[in-house]
Structures are given as structure tokens and as C-alpha cells.
Amino acid sequence: MSFIPTTPNRGLKLRPQGQRYYFSTTRHFFREEDIPRLRALVPELMDATVASADDSGTSSQQIANTDIRSSKVGFIEPTDSSAWLYKLIGAGIAHHNQTYYDYAIEGIETLQFSEYPANTGYYKPHLDWGAGTIFGRNDICRKLSFTIQLSKPDSYAGGDLKLHSGRELDAATRETIREFGCLTVFPSWLLHEVTPVTHGTRRSLVGWVVGPDFL
Amino acid sequence: MNRSQFAVTRACFSPEECEAIRLAGDANLQDGSSDYTGVSRVSRVCMMSPSHKEGWLFTKLWTILEEHNRKFYDYELDYIQPLQYSVYDSADLGHYEWHQDWGSAVFDPARPEICRKLSFTLQLSAPEAYEGGRLEINYGQDYARESEFYLEQGTLISFPSFMLHRITPVTGGVRKSLVGWCVGPDYK
């Protein structure tokens, strides 16, 4: 297994010097008419897992842990038939990274389709950044995380992606993040959660951009 | 793989050293302090610049923090900003709500890429001197439990400035601490 490389794009200095972003969004990033060919790529869903460190703390394994996370997920492997999706997301990530973050990045991990059903779906506050290896390498880590909303906001209740930066997001921004097709990108060290879904089903596509450890 | 969410050196400052810093800090407070009385933050603070009198303090902090950085973080760091002596008093339920130290502030107009990267706290009060007033670093599940391990007087705690953290309300006595930030070019 390996990851799909992203465009090297550091140093373009598009963001004003000293301006720093906790998250960024692109509305209408994913089109409704592309839902069928996306769903065709999704394998049978299984229970989501979390990393659990072993006793020595040097390695971790994936286990189901409903204290933290309860949802169904399916991984979309990079193949010829999913190339269009990786290309679309690669372009979006390259844009967000050069505009807002300017991180050294290498590639995108396998995309994850997520389903949070009513009464059982949630993901408590957590970081995506942390110890552990990615594709057997310990010199890279998750640097940017992203979510693409695939459910219409009125088709489910609860299930908000909450970004905990210590600053309250205003109502308009919270609404934007919930919009169908919206791409939300944030540094993987940002504490975040998906609040419990109380009605309907929330679907999303999530992923991680990896690169050398933060310097 | 240096991705620690925090690092601790227990009791690396002696009670006498903590007392000396408290005396200097309390004297500085008399000369002028910033009083935070908002909803998110209630505390009295004053800056401690590196004068020759406190030179030993910066040298000692930098020595320990450099070791933390080498073992646990590997960040490009330039220098320590002026230190902040902080007093959280139970009389007004001193506290500081969840926040990050990393952000858009420009400290040096000639070098706008400089930002806070490694934050630290030195516990100047003995744990018996106050109740509440826990420094909590939030990385998700079980974070609160960890705060019990670094209460000891003279203990230095460092953490990446992007980590969400808070001081819970002081419900008895007074908690004194020294906080500071190592700055460098933004994370990349």
C-alpha cells in the first residue's frame, strides 16, 4: 500500500505573512450528480476503529472502541476507477495547502467513506495527529485532515463536525461546514468531533494528507 | 517520530528557586500588572524580561526546554519570549478557559513568520497551597487524568503551542506559575 502523491506546492507565499488558519472551506466542492459514481466505489461498510497503543507505547493497532467512536466506514482504494476522485481531492488539497497552511506534504492516505446512523453515530473529541506509523514509515504523520459533506443538511439532525480551537465559530460558518458538498480542511492537530446523530444518517468522505513531521 | 502532546520534567526547580521567582514576580506585580477579569480568563499577570537579575532563570529554562525539544518535539526554535508570571486567586475564581497559544499574532514585524511553537508552565506553588487550578492539555479522551502527574512544585511542563489547554478555576488558596513560549518560524 502506498499513498497518492500530492502536488509539491510550498513556498508560493499566497497567504499574508503571519496570517494563520485553524480551518478552511470550499463550498460546492463535490457535485450532487457525482454521488452515484462515488457510491459505486464504496465497498461494504464495517465498524470504524481507533488506534490503540500497546503496553510499550511504541506501536499501535486498530480496535473498535465505542467509548470514542461509533460509525460505519469503507475505504476507497486508489485504482483506475477511483482516479477521478483522487484527482479532484488532490487539486482541492493543493489549493488549500498553498493558500492557508504551507505545510510540507507528500500524499493523501486512502479515502474513507463514513456513515453515522441515527442514535449510534458519533466520534468524540480527538486528534488525527499523533504517534504511530503510516504505511510502515515513522518519519511521516498526518498533517491536514479533511471532510466532504455528502448528506443534505436537512436530511439528518445532530452530526455536526465541531472544530475545537478555543474560538466559537459563528452561525454562518457552522452552516457552511454542514452544507452538501462542502470541503472542510484543518490541521490534523486540531481537536475535533462529530456530535451524535439523532435523526437520519450523515454521510461524508474523509481523508488525511501526510508529510514529514512538523518542524 | 517526535510527536509528543506534552513533556514533563518533575521538580527541576528547587523550592528555594521557586520562592525566589515568586518574590521577583510579586515585586513586579506591585510595579504594574495586567488584570484579566473577563469570562474566559481571570488572573493577574506581569511580564518578566530577561534582566541580569533573572538571567539564571532563562538559562535554566532554555537548557531544560532544549532537551524537551530534542527528545519530544524537534521544532525549529529561535528564542524564549519575555516570561509571564501568573497568579490565579480563589478569591475571584481565577481560571483560563480552553485556548491555544499558536495564532495570527505578529511579534516581530521584520519576521512575521515567527510564532509561538512550544509553550511551557513552571509550577511555582506547592500543590497543598491551592485547590483546583489544574493545567489541562486536551488531546481527547482521558486528558484530565494526566494533569495529576505534573502538580509538583518546581515541575516544568511543555507542550506544542497548538494544543488546546486551560486552567480550571482555583477554588481554594492561590496558584502561582510562570508561563512562557519558545518562538520560531511557523510549523511546516
Side-chain angles (χ1 to χ4, degrees), chain A residues 10 15 17-22 68 125 129-130 132 138 140-141 143 165 189 191 213-215, chain B residues 1 3-4 75 98 100 102-105 112-115 117 138 140-141 162 164 186-188:
Chain A
R10 289 205 62 240
R15 67 175 185 173
Q17 282 280 292
Q19 189 68 43
R20 301 185 177 96
Y21 299 89
Y22 291 93
I68 302 172
W129 171 84
N138 65 8
I140 53 172
C141 65
K143 300 186 82 169
S165 70
W189 43 250
L191 191 74
D213 281 329
F214 289 108
L215 279 182
Chain B
M1 182 172 60
R3 291 175 218 140
S4 299
Y75 297 150
W98 292 119
Q100 290 167 313
W102 177 85
S104 292
E113 75 279 13
I114 293 288
C115 67
K117 296 180 79 175
N138 196 337
Q141 230 203 359
F162 55 64
L164 200 62
D186 204 352
Y187 303 104
K188 45 183 174 274

mmCIF file of all heavy atoms in Angstrom, chain A residues 10 15 17-22 68 125 129-130 132 138 140-141 143 165 189 191 213-215, chain B residues 1 3-4 75 98 100 102-105 112-115 117 138 140-141 162 164 186-188:
data_model
loop_
_atom_site.group_PDB
_atom_site.id
_atom_site.type_symbol
_atom_site.label_atom_id
_atom_site.label_comp_id
_atom_site.label_asym_id
_atom_site.label_seq_id
_atom_site.Cartn_x
_atom_site.Cartn_y
_atom_site.Cartn_z
ATOM 1 N N ARG A 10 4.890 24.101 -1.871
ATOM 2 C CA ARG A 10 5.230 25.011 -0.777
ATOM 3 C C ARG A 10 5.894 26.256 -1.320
ATOM 4 O O ARG A 10 6.354 26.306 -2.443
ATOM 5 C CB ARG A 10 6.162 24.332 0.226
ATOM 6 C CG ARG A 10 5.479 23.260 1.044
ATOM 7 C CD ARG A 10 6.187 23.043 2.372
ATOM 8 N NE ARG A 10 6.168 24.236 3.185
ATOM 9 C CZ ARG A 10 7.241 24.875 3.603
ATOM 10 N NH1 ARG A 10 8.436 24.472 3.265
ATOM 11 N NH2 ARG A 10 7.127 25.936 4.361
ATOM 12 N N ARG A 15 -0.555 33.146 1.227
ATOM 13 C CA ARG A 15 -1.226 33.712 2.402
ATOM 14 C C ARG A 15 -0.414 34.907 2.907
ATOM 15 O O ARG A 15 0.813 34.909 2.795
ATOM 16 C CB ARG A 15 -1.392 32.660 3.489
ATOM 17 C CG ARG A 15 -0.091 32.210 4.093
ATOM 18 C CD ARG A 15 -0.299 31.258 5.235
ATOM 19 N NE ARG A 15 0.999 30.956 5.845
ATOM 20 C CZ ARG A 15 1.157 30.270 6.947
ATOM 21 N NH1 ARG A 15 0.115 29.781 7.566
ATOM 22 N NH2 ARG A 15 2.344 30.036 7.432
ATOM 23 N N GLN A 17 1.762 37.008 5.199
ATOM 24 C CA GLN A 17 2.708 36.584 6.221
ATOM 25 C C GLN A 17 2.129 36.834 7.608
ATOM 26 O O GLN A 17 1.598 37.905 7.883
ATOM 27 C CB GLN A 17 4.017 37.352 6.060
ATOM 28 C CG GLN A 17 4.880 36.826 4.941
ATOM 29 C CD GLN A 17 5.647 35.598 5.370
ATOM 30 O OE1 GLN A 17 6.539 35.662 6.203
ATOM 31 N NE2 GLN A 17 5.302 34.459 4.797
ATOM 32 N N GLY A 18 2.208 35.835 8.464
ATOM 33 C CA GLY A 18 1.723 35.985 9.829
ATOM 34 C C GLY A 18 0.273 35.611 9.976
ATOM 35 O O GLY A 18 -0.227 35.454 11.076
ATOM 36 N N GLN A 19 -0.449 35.441 8.861
ATOM 37 C CA GLN A 19 -1.855 35.023 8.932
ATOM 38 C C GLN A 19 -1.903 33.511 9.070
ATOM 39 O O GLN A 19 -1.281 32.806 8.285
ATOM 40 C CB GLN A 19 -2.578 35.477 7.667
ATOM 41 C CG GLN A 19 -4.087 35.292 7.709
ATOM 42 C CD GLN A 19 -4.746 36.226 8.706
ATOM 43 O OE1 GLN A 19 -4.412 37.388 8.778
ATOM 44 N NE2 GLN A 19 -5.651 35.695 9.495
ATOM 45 N N ARG A 20 -2.613 33.032 10.082
ATOM 46 C CA ARG A 20 -2.643 31.588 10.327
ATOM 47 C C ARG A 20 -4.070 31.097 10.445
ATOM 48 O O ARG A 20 -4.913 31.771 11.005
ATOM 49 C CB ARG A 20 -1.846 31.260 11.595
ATOM 50 C CG ARG A 20 -0.407 31.721 11.444
ATOM 51 C CD ARG A 20 0.511 31.363 12.576
ATOM 52 N NE ARG A 20 1.842 31.822 12.200
ATOM 53 C CZ ARG A 20 2.355 32.995 12.580
ATOM 54 N NH1 ARG A 20 1.701 33.780 13.393
ATOM 55 N NH2 ARG A 20 3.534 33.376 12.148
ATOM 56 N N TYR A 21 -4.321 29.922 9.882
ATOM 57 C CA TYR A 21 -5.693 29.429 9.781
ATOM 58 C C TYR A 21 -5.895 28.131 10.551
ATOM 59 O O TYR A 21 -5.073 27.223 10.466
ATOM 60 C CB TYR A 21 -6.063 29.211 8.307
ATOM 61 C CG TYR A 21 -5.989 30.490 7.492
ATOM 62 C CD1 TYR A 21 -4.805 30.882 6.868
ATOM 63 C CD2 TYR A 21 -7.102 31.313 7.367
ATOM 64 C CE1 TYR A 21 -4.737 32.053 6.142
ATOM 65 C CE2 TYR A 21 -7.041 32.494 6.641
ATOM 66 C CZ TYR A 21 -5.853 32.854 6.032
ATOM 67 O OH TYR A 21 -5.785 34.023 5.315
ATOM 68 N N TYR A 22 -7.025 28.050 11.273
ATOM 69 C CA TYR A 22 -7.402 26.843 12.002
ATOM 70 C C TYR A 22 -8.197 25.892 11.112
ATOM 71 O O TYR A 22 -8.315 24.717 11.404
ATOM 72 C CB TYR A 22 -8.259 27.191 13.222
ATOM 73 C CG TYR A 22 -7.496 27.912 14.290
ATOM 74 C CD1 TYR A 22 -7.464 29.296 14.350
ATOM 75 C CD2 TYR A 22 -6.789 27.195 15.239
ATOM 76 C CE1 TYR A 22 -6.765 29.946 15.336
ATOM 77 C CE2 TYR A 22 -6.076 27.834 16.231
ATOM 78 C CZ TYR A 22 -6.072 29.224 16.274
ATOM 79 O OH TYR A 22 -5.367 29.845 17.249
ATOM 80 N N ILE A 68 -15.202 5.952 22.144
ATOM 81 C CA ILE A 68 -14.675 7.084 21.393
ATOM 82 C C ILE A 68 -15.437 7.303 20.093
ATOM 83 O O ILE A 68 -15.792 8.426 19.750
ATOM 84 C CB ILE A 68 -13.174 6.861 21.074
ATOM 85 C CG1 ILE A 68 -12.388 6.666 22.377
ATOM 86 C CG2 ILE A 68 -12.609 8.032 20.270
ATOM 87 C CD1 ILE A 68 -10.952 6.240 22.153
ATOM 88 N N PRO A 125 -14.338 13.956 20.851
ATOM 89 C CA PRO A 125 -13.183 14.813 20.545
ATOM 90 C C PRO A 125 -11.868 14.026 20.472
ATOM 91 O O PRO A 125 -11.578 13.222 21.357
ATOM 92 C CB PRO A 125 -13.176 15.814 21.707
ATOM 93 C CG PRO A 125 -14.601 15.899 22.128
ATOM 94 C CD PRO A 125 -15.158 14.510 21.953
ATOM 95 N N TRP A 129 -3.587 13.745 14.472
ATOM 96 C CA TRP A 129 -2.130 13.783 14.551
ATOM 97 C C TRP A 129 -1.667 13.048 15.802
ATOM 98 O O TRP A 129 -2.282 13.179 16.854
ATOM 99 C CB TRP A 129 -1.701 15.256 14.611
ATOM 100 C CG TRP A 129 -0.264 15.515 14.914
ATOM 101 C CD1 TRP A 129 0.775 15.516 14.037
ATOM 102 C CD2 TRP A 129 0.295 15.864 16.194
ATOM 103 N NE1 TRP A 129 1.946 15.839 14.687
ATOM 104 C CE2 TRP A 129 1.678 16.057 16.010
ATOM 105 C CE3 TRP A 129 -0.229 16.022 17.471
ATOM 106 C CZ2 TRP A 129 2.539 16.413 17.046
ATOM 107 C CZ3 TRP A 129 0.623 16.372 18.516
ATOM 108 C CH2 TRP A 129 1.993 16.564 18.300
ATOM 109 N N GLY A 130 -0.621 12.244 15.703
ATOM 110 C CA GLY A 130 -0.120 11.566 16.886
ATOM 111 C C GLY A 130 0.928 10.533 16.548
ATOM 112 O O GLY A 130 1.422 10.477 15.412
ATOM 113 N N GLY A 132 2.650 6.757 15.950
ATOM 114 C CA GLY A 132 2.243 5.676 15.055
ATOM 115 C C GLY A 132 2.881 5.820 13.690
ATOM 116 O O GLY A 132 3.423 6.859 13.339
ATOM 117 N N ASN A 138 7.808 5.864 9.973
ATOM 118 C CA ASN A 138 7.593 6.644 11.196
ATOM 119 C C ASN A 138 8.104 8.077 11.063
ATOM 120 O O ASN A 138 8.138 8.824 12.024
ATOM 121 C CB ASN A 138 8.202 5.948 12.422
ATOM 122 C CG ASN A 138 9.705 5.851 12.338
ATOM 123 O OD1 ASN A 138 10.323 6.429 11.435
ATOM 124 N ND2 ASN A 138 10.305 5.140 13.264
ATOM 125 N N ILE A 140 6.746 10.158 8.820
ATOM 126 C CA ILE A 140 5.658 10.986 8.307
ATOM 127 C C ILE A 140 4.465 10.902 9.266
ATOM 128 O O ILE A 140 4.327 9.949 10.029
ATOM 129 C CB ILE A 140 5.210 10.583 6.884
ATOM 130 C CG1 ILE A 140 4.877 9.085 6.831
ATOM 131 C CG2 ILE A 140 6.251 10.955 5.845
ATOM 132 C CD1 ILE A 140 4.249 8.657 5.502
ATOM 133 N N CYS A 141 3.640 11.918 9.216
ATOM 134 C CA CYS A 141 2.462 11.945 10.084
ATOM 135 C C CYS A 141 1.326 12.621 9.329
ATOM 136 O O CYS A 141 1.518 13.175 8.249
ATOM 137 C CB CYS A 141 2.767 12.718 11.368
ATOM 138 S SG CYS A 141 3.102 14.470 11.113
ATOM 139 N N LYS A 143 -0.951 15.551 8.551
ATOM 140 C CA LYS A 143 -0.740 16.990 8.704
ATOM 141 C C LYS A 143 -1.990 17.800 8.425
ATOM 142 O O LYS A 143 -2.233 18.802 9.070
ATOM 143 C CB LYS A 143 0.404 17.444 7.805
ATOM 144 C CG LYS A 143 1.698 16.713 8.167
ATOM 145 C CD LYS A 143 2.880 17.200 7.419
ATOM 146 C CE LYS A 143 3.457 18.447 8.059
ATOM 147 N NZ LYS A 143 4.759 18.790 7.483
ATOM 148 N N SER A 165 -10.994 25.046 18.515
ATOM 149 C CA SER A 165 -9.801 25.879 18.501
ATOM 150 C C SER A 165 -9.779 26.821 19.702
ATOM 151 O O SER A 165 -8.851 27.596 19.868
ATOM 152 C CB SER A 165 -9.765 26.713 17.219
ATOM 153 O OG SER A 165 -10.786 27.691 17.264
ATOM 154 N N TRP A 189 -3.679 18.397 13.919
ATOM 155 C CA TRP A 189 -3.518 18.516 15.372
ATOM 156 C C TRP A 189 -4.704 19.213 16.025
ATOM 157 O O TRP A 189 -4.747 19.372 17.251
ATOM 158 C CB TRP A 189 -2.216 19.230 15.752
ATOM 159 C CG TRP A 189 -1.843 20.454 14.952
ATOM 160 C CD1 TRP A 189 -0.813 20.563 14.058
ATOM 161 C CD2 TRP A 189 -2.453 21.755 14.997
ATOM 162 N NE1 TRP A 189 -0.758 21.839 13.539
ATOM 163 C CE2 TRP A 189 -1.748 22.588 14.097
ATOM 164 C CE3 TRP A 189 -3.522 22.300 15.719
ATOM 165 C CZ2 TRP A 189 -2.085 23.934 13.890
ATOM 166 C CZ3 TRP A 189 -3.865 23.629 15.503
ATOM 167 C CH2 TRP A 189 -3.147 24.431 14.607
ATOM 168 N N LEU A 191 -8.161 19.591 17.690
ATOM 169 C CA LEU A 191 -9.159 18.734 18.355
ATOM 170 C C LEU A 191 -10.495 18.885 17.633
ATOM 171 O O LEU A 191 -10.928 20.009 17.360
ATOM 172 C CB LEU A 191 -9.283 19.178 19.813
ATOM 173 C CG LEU A 191 -10.077 18.270 20.755
ATOM 174 C CD1 LEU A 191 -9.278 17.012 21.090
ATOM 175 C CD2 LEU A 191 -10.431 19.013 22.038
ATOM 176 N N ASP A 213 7.197 15.107 9.669
ATOM 177 C CA ASP A 213 6.804 15.683 10.962
ATOM 178 C C ASP A 213 6.928 17.206 10.954
ATOM 179 O O ASP A 213 7.826 17.765 10.320
ATOM 180 C CB ASP A 213 7.690 15.117 12.083
ATOM 181 C CG ASP A 213 7.227 13.729 12.495
ATOM 182 O OD1 ASP A 213 6.024 13.454 12.400
ATOM 183 O OD2 ASP A 213 8.092 12.928 12.909
ATOM 184 N N PHE A 214 6.042 17.845 11.689
ATOM 185 C CA PHE A 214 6.083 19.308 11.820
ATOM 186 C C PHE A 214 7.436 19.741 12.367
ATOM 187 O O PHE A 214 7.942 19.162 13.328
ATOM 188 C CB PHE A 214 4.976 19.786 12.764
ATOM 189 C CG PHE A 214 3.598 19.664 12.179
ATOM 190 C CD1 PHE A 214 2.708 18.700 12.635
ATOM 191 C CD2 PHE A 214 3.188 20.524 11.166
ATOM 192 C CE1 PHE A 214 1.427 18.586 12.096
ATOM 193 C CE2 PHE A 214 1.913 20.413 10.623
ATOM 194 C CZ PHE A 214 1.029 19.441 11.087
ATOM 195 N N LEU A 215 8.017 20.782 11.769
ATOM 196 C CA LEU A 215 9.312 21.307 12.217
ATOM 197 C C LEU A 215 9.110 22.562 13.045
ATOM 198 O O LEU A 215 8.303 23.400 12.667
ATOM 199 C CB LEU A 215 10.188 21.649 11.019
ATOM 200 C CG LEU A 215 10.924 20.490 10.354
ATOM 201 C CD1 LEU A 215 11.786 21.016 9.214
ATOM 202 C CD2 LEU A 215 11.802 19.765 11.383
ATOM 203 N N MET B 1 10.418 10.325 15.029
ATOM 204 C CA MET B 1 8.986 10.441 15.340
ATOM 205 C C MET B 1 8.809 11.189 16.659
ATOM 206 O O MET B 1 8.600 10.599 17.691
ATOM 207 C CB MET B 1 8.344 9.055 15.417
ATOM 208 C CG MET B 1 6.853 9.143 15.687
ATOM 209 S SD MET B 1 5.982 7.577 15.557
ATOM 210 C CE MET B 1 6.774 6.578 16.795
ATOM 211 N N ARG B 3 6.432 13.347 18.313
ATOM 212 C CA ARG B 3 5.082 13.926 18.227
ATOM 213 C C ARG B 3 4.408 13.954 19.592
ATOM 214 O O ARG B 3 3.263 13.578 19.739
ATOM 215 C CB ARG B 3 4.226 13.109 17.261
ATOM 216 C CG ARG B 3 4.664 13.254 15.827
ATOM 217 C CD ARG B 3 3.902 12.350 14.891
ATOM 218 N NE ARG B 3 4.808 11.851 13.879
ATOM 219 C CZ ARG B 3 4.802 10.624 13.412
ATOM 220 N NH1 ARG B 3 3.917 9.743 13.869
ATOM 221 N NH2 ARG B 3 5.676 10.258 12.511
ATOM 222 N N SER B 4 5.154 14.382 20.612
ATOM 223 C CA SER B 4 4.588 14.390 21.956
ATOM 224 C C SER B 4 3.549 15.487 22.103
ATOM 225 O O SER B 4 3.681 16.559 21.531
ATOM 226 C CB SER B 4 5.695 14.590 22.989
ATOM 227 O OG SER B 4 6.611 13.525 22.899
ATOM 228 N N TYR B 75 11.337 20.818 16.991
ATOM 229 C CA TYR B 75 10.904 22.036 16.305
ATOM 230 C C TYR B 75 12.086 22.973 16.083
ATOM 231 O O TYR B 75 13.042 22.977 16.849
ATOM 232 C CB TYR B 75 9.843 22.791 17.128
ATOM 233 C CG TYR B 75 8.557 22.039 17.338
ATOM 234 C CD1 TYR B 75 7.807 22.254 18.488
ATOM 235 C CD2 TYR B 75 8.082 21.129 16.395
ATOM 236 C CE1 TYR B 75 6.606 21.576 18.704
ATOM 237 C CE2 TYR B 75 6.892 20.451 16.605
ATOM 238 C CZ TYR B 75 6.156 20.680 17.758
ATOM 239 O OH TYR B 75 4.978 20.014 17.969
ATOM 240 N N TRP B 98 -10.442 27.128 27.726
ATOM 241 C CA TRP B 98 -9.737 26.459 26.630
ATOM 242 C C TRP B 98 -9.224 27.474 25.605
ATOM 243 O O TRP B 98 -9.977 28.316 25.127
ATOM 244 C CB TRP B 98 -10.670 25.492 25.895
ATOM 245 C CG TRP B 98 -11.087 24.293 26.698
ATOM 246 C CD1 TRP B 98 -12.360 23.943 27.046
ATOM 247 C CD2 TRP B 98 -10.229 23.266 27.218
ATOM 248 N NE1 TRP B 98 -12.345 22.771 27.756
ATOM 249 C CE2 TRP B 98 -11.058 22.325 27.874
ATOM 250 C CE3 TRP B 98 -8.852 23.042 27.187
ATOM 251 C CZ2 TRP B 98 -10.554 21.192 28.507
ATOM 252 C CZ3 TRP B 98 -8.352 21.918 27.818
ATOM 253 C CH2 TRP B 98 -9.186 21.009 28.464
ATOM 254 N N GLN B 100 -5.627 28.195 22.605
ATOM 255 C CA GLN B 100 -4.333 27.799 22.044
ATOM 256 C C GLN B 100 -3.427 29.017 22.069
ATOM 257 O O GLN B 100 -3.904 30.139 21.995
ATOM 258 C CB GLN B 100 -4.494 27.355 20.591
ATOM 259 C CG GLN B 100 -5.222 26.033 20.416
ATOM 260 C CD GLN B 100 -5.623 25.813 18.978
ATOM 261 O OE1 GLN B 100 -6.160 26.696 18.338
ATOM 262 N NE2 GLN B 100 -5.376 24.622 18.469
ATOM 263 N N TRP B 102 -0.849 29.297 19.817
ATOM 264 C CA TRP B 102 -0.482 29.494 18.416
ATOM 265 C C TRP B 102 -1.569 30.337 17.745
ATOM 266 O O TRP B 102 -2.755 30.137 18.014
ATOM 267 C CB TRP B 102 -0.387 28.134 17.732
ATOM 268 C CG TRP B 102 -0.093 28.133 16.271
ATOM 269 C CD1 TRP B 102 1.143 28.187 15.683
ATOM 270 C CD2 TRP B 102 -1.044 28.047 15.199
ATOM 271 N NE1 TRP B 102 1.008 28.139 14.327
ATOM 272 C CE2 TRP B 102 -0.318 28.060 13.991
ATOM 273 C CE3 TRP B 102 -2.436 27.972 15.138
ATOM 274 C CZ2 TRP B 102 -0.927 27.994 12.744
ATOM 275 C CZ3 TRP B 102 -3.053 27.908 13.898
ATOM 276 C CH2 TRP B 102 -2.299 27.916 12.721
ATOM 277 N N GLY B 103 -1.202 31.276 16.900
ATOM 278 C CA GLY B 103 -2.222 32.084 16.245
ATOM 279 C C GLY B 103 -1.601 33.125 15.338
ATOM 280 O O GLY B 103 -0.410 33.051 15.021
ATOM 281 N N SER B 104 -2.429 34.089 14.955
ATOM 282 C CA SER B 104 -2.014 35.037 13.918
ATOM 283 C C SER B 104 -1.185 36.209 14.433
ATOM 284 O O SER B 104 -0.805 37.068 13.657
ATOM 285 C CB SER B 104 -3.236 35.570 13.177
ATOM 286 O OG SER B 104 -3.820 34.530 12.412
ATOM 287 N N ALA B 105 -0.911 36.267 15.736
ATOM 288 C CA ALA B 105 -0.173 37.422 16.265
ATOM 289 C C ALA B 105 1.195 37.550 15.598
ATOM 290 O O ALA B 105 1.882 36.561 15.357
ATOM 291 C CB ALA B 105 0.001 37.257 17.771
ATOM 292 N N PRO B 112 7.547 38.215 10.232
ATOM 293 C CA PRO B 112 6.153 37.848 10.528
ATOM 294 C C PRO B 112 5.915 36.343 10.583
ATOM 295 O O PRO B 112 4.864 35.910 11.066
ATOM 296 C CB PRO B 112 5.365 38.482 9.368
ATOM 297 C CG PRO B 112 6.361 38.697 8.284
ATOM 298 C CD PRO B 112 7.686 38.906 8.939
ATOM 299 N N GLU B 113 6.875 35.541 10.113
ATOM 300 C CA GLU B 113 6.683 34.083 10.141
ATOM 301 C C GLU B 113 6.909 33.513 11.544
ATOM 302 O O GLU B 113 6.612 32.351 11.804
ATOM 303 C CB GLU B 113 7.627 33.401 9.129
ATOM 304 C CG GLU B 113 9.095 33.316 9.530
ATOM 305 C CD GLU B 113 9.889 34.602 9.290
ATOM 306 O OE1 GLU B 113 9.270 35.657 9.038
ATOM 307 O OE2 GLU B 113 11.135 34.553 9.379
ATOM 308 N N ILE B 114 7.445 34.349 12.439
ATOM 309 C CA ILE B 114 7.716 33.891 13.811
ATOM 310 C C ILE B 114 6.409 33.738 14.587
ATOM 311 O O ILE B 114 5.575 34.637 14.588
ATOM 312 C CB ILE B 114 8.622 34.919 14.536
ATOM 313 C CG1 ILE B 114 10.017 34.946 13.903
ATOM 314 C CG2 ILE B 114 8.706 34.641 16.039
ATOM 315 C CD1 ILE B 114 10.855 33.737 14.184
ATOM 316 N N CYS B 115 6.236 32.595 15.224
ATOM 317 C CA CYS B 115 5.041 32.388 16.046
ATOM 318 C C CYS B 115 5.391 31.536 17.258
ATOM 319 O O CYS B 115 6.485 30.988 17.344
ATOM 320 C CB CYS B 115 3.927 31.735 15.230
ATOM 321 S SG CYS B 115 4.282 30.044 14.731
ATOM 322 N N LYS B 117 5.581 28.367 19.323
ATOM 323 C CA LYS B 117 5.609 26.954 18.913
ATOM 324 C C LYS B 117 5.644 25.993 20.080
ATOM 325 O O LYS B 117 5.065 24.912 20.005
ATOM 326 C CB LYS B 117 6.827 26.711 18.008
ATOM 327 C CG LYS B 117 6.738 27.496 16.706
ATOM 328 C CD LYS B 117 7.922 27.268 15.817
ATOM 329 C CE LYS B 117 7.828 25.966 15.057
ATOM 330 N NZ LYS B 117 8.956 25.831 14.099
ATOM 331 N N ASN B 138 -5.597 19.285 26.255
ATOM 332 C CA ASN B 138 -6.686 18.469 25.698
ATOM 333 C C ASN B 138 -6.313 17.800 24.377
ATOM 334 O O ASN B 138 -6.268 18.429 23.327
ATOM 335 C CB ASN B 138 -7.920 19.345 25.490
ATOM 336 C CG ASN B 138 -9.175 18.515 25.296
ATOM 337 O OD1 ASN B 138 -9.106 17.351 24.905
ATOM 338 N ND2 ASN B 138 -10.323 19.113 25.558
ATOM 339 N N GLY B 140 -8.021 14.911 23.707
ATOM 340 C CA GLY B 140 -9.130 13.974 23.556
ATOM 341 C C GLY B 140 -9.306 13.183 24.827
ATOM 342 O O GLY B 140 -9.047 13.676 25.924
ATOM 343 N N GLN B 141 -9.690 11.915 24.668
ATOM 344 C CA GLN B 141 -10.032 11.063 25.805
ATOM 345 C C GLN B 141 -8.992 11.055 26.921
ATOM 346 O O GLN B 141 -7.795 11.032 26.669
ATOM 347 C CB GLN B 141 -10.178 9.630 25.286
ATOM 348 C CG GLN B 141 -11.453 8.993 25.723
ATOM 349 C CD GLN B 141 -11.323 7.475 25.698
ATOM 350 O OE1 GLN B 141 -10.283 6.940 25.337
ATOM 351 N NE2 GLN B 141 -12.372 6.798 26.081
ATOM 352 N N PHE B 162 0.058 24.661 19.674
ATOM 353 C CA PHE B 162 -1.248 24.432 19.034
ATOM 354 C C PHE B 162 -2.167 23.566 19.892
ATOM 355 O O PHE B 162 -3.346 23.410 19.573
ATOM 356 C CB PHE B 162 -1.106 23.846 17.628
ATOM 357 C CG PHE B 162 -0.299 22.563 17.530
ATOM 358 C CD1 PHE B 162 -0.732 21.401 18.135
ATOM 359 C CD2 PHE B 162 0.882 22.542 16.790
ATOM 360 C CE1 PHE B 162 -0.006 20.223 18.026
ATOM 361 C CE2 PHE B 162 1.624 21.368 16.674
ATOM 362 C CZ PHE B 162 1.172 20.203 17.294
ATOM 363 N N LEU B 164 -4.768 22.587 22.575
ATOM 364 C CA LEU B 164 -5.812 23.250 23.337
ATOM 365 C C LEU B 164 -5.547 22.996 24.823
ATOM 366 O O LEU B 164 -5.315 21.862 25.217
ATOM 367 C CB LEU B 164 -7.163 22.664 22.920
ATOM 368 C CG LEU B 164 -8.436 23.442 23.194
ATOM 369 C CD1 LEU B 164 -8.438 24.774 22.454
ATOM 370 C CD2 LEU B 164 -9.637 22.610 22.793
ATOM 371 N N ASP B 186 6.938 29.458 11.674
ATOM 372 C CA ASP B 186 5.724 28.655 11.760
ATOM 373 C C ASP B 186 5.967 27.183 11.392
ATOM 374 O O ASP B 186 6.820 26.876 10.573
ATOM 375 C CB ASP B 186 4.664 29.257 10.813
ATOM 376 C CG ASP B 186 3.252 28.896 11.248
ATOM 377 O OD1 ASP B 186 3.106 28.070 12.167
ATOM 378 O OD2 ASP B 186 2.308 29.451 10.665
ATOM 379 N N TYR B 187 5.181 26.302 12.001
ATOM 380 C CA TYR B 187 5.227 24.873 11.696
ATOM 381 C C TYR B 187 5.137 24.659 10.184
ATOM 382 O O TYR B 187 4.325 25.310 9.528
ATOM 383 C CB TYR B 187 4.056 24.148 12.337
ATOM 384 C CG TYR B 187 3.953 24.322 13.843
ATOM 385 C CD1 TYR B 187 3.006 25.179 14.380
ATOM 386 C CD2 TYR B 187 4.779 23.628 14.714
ATOM 387 C CE1 TYR B 187 2.885 25.338 15.767
ATOM 388 C CE2 TYR B 187 4.668 23.778 16.079
ATOM 389 C CZ TYR B 187 3.712 24.632 16.597
ATOM 390 O OH TYR B 187 3.587 24.794 17.960
ATOM 391 N N LYS B 188 5.910 23.750 9.663
ATOM 392 C CA LYS B 188 5.775 23.475 8.225
ATOM 393 C C LYS B 188 5.810 21.984 7.940
ATOM 394 O O LYS B 188 6.078 21.201 8.792
ATOM 395 C CB LYS B 188 6.828 24.201 7.415
ATOM 396 C CG LYS B 188 8.253 24.152 7.933
ATOM 397 C CD LYS B 188 9.136 24.992 7.020
ATOM 398 C CE LYS B 188 10.549 25.115 7.550
ATOM 399 N NZ LYS B 188 10.727 26.193 8.506
#
